[in-house]
Amino acid sequence: MRSNRQVSPGFYLLEAELPIRPDRIPRAGQFCMLRSWDSIPVLSRPISVFDAQGSRVFFLYKTVGRGTAIFSRLNPGDSLTIQGPLGNGFPMDLWSNAPGRIAMVGGGAGIAPFYLGAKQYRGAGCTVDLYLGFSGAAFLTDEYRDRADSVTVNVGGRITDEIDPTGYDAIFTCGPEIMMKALWEKCKACGVGERIFVSLEARMACGVGACYGCSKQTAGGNKKVCKDGPVFPAEDVL
Ligand code: FES
């Protein structure tokens, strides 16, 4: 582990070394299973990939329990076990002709996938507008501004009030379920419900589809958040 800095109370940005095969470069919305302990807690923790630069991988996380509290006390040089990247990530194949215009709507630690997302989708020729919501102080907004076509920030209110979904070919969201549901309702009311994709959070044990610990009822039957997701069309899961 190379660095681990607090970016806001309860939120940390961790940088680690991860030898990555060229065909396994992390995509926006993928995650890794992290652990920095031997046996207790039993489970590794699924953490979204925030950025990837060569063999340097970055994770933005919030301290919400025992595992993430342990991460927050790590120092440069401490060892960290990383399994991944895992999961499907946000779809990259939505546009058959011209690249689209995308809104990425994140709340709290749910802004994490959109730092890499803005880089990758703009790199593919898309226009990317970011909408970042915070319940406390905003953080990393200058870094996000360097990557996107526009950044809208809302502190203490509802980021979903800031967006007109009809202007976008696709809307990606990650964060508190109440925020993602509000956005889904807004998209449906605007007649663009099929354009929104959500990244779900779940407790995970294996992270690779082997234990059924993260099963989720969807319109298409039971799916595993870790392997079939964590990104799903909103109309399948909300
Ligand atoms: Fe084991 Fe998803 S965590 S199947």
Side-chain angles (χ1 to χ4, degrees), residues 31 33 202-215 223-227:
F31 65 94
M33 296 296 282
R203 285 184 69 83
M204 293 183 189
C206 70
V208 293
C211 75
Y212 293 91
C214 63
S215 281
K223 296 274 174 75
K224 297 165 184 169
V225 173
C226 66
K227 193 154 189 283

Side-chain angles (χ1 to χ4, degrees), residues 85-96:
L86 303 169
N88 59 356
F90 286 96
M92 286 294 295
D93 54 356
L94 293 172
W95 303 276
S96 50

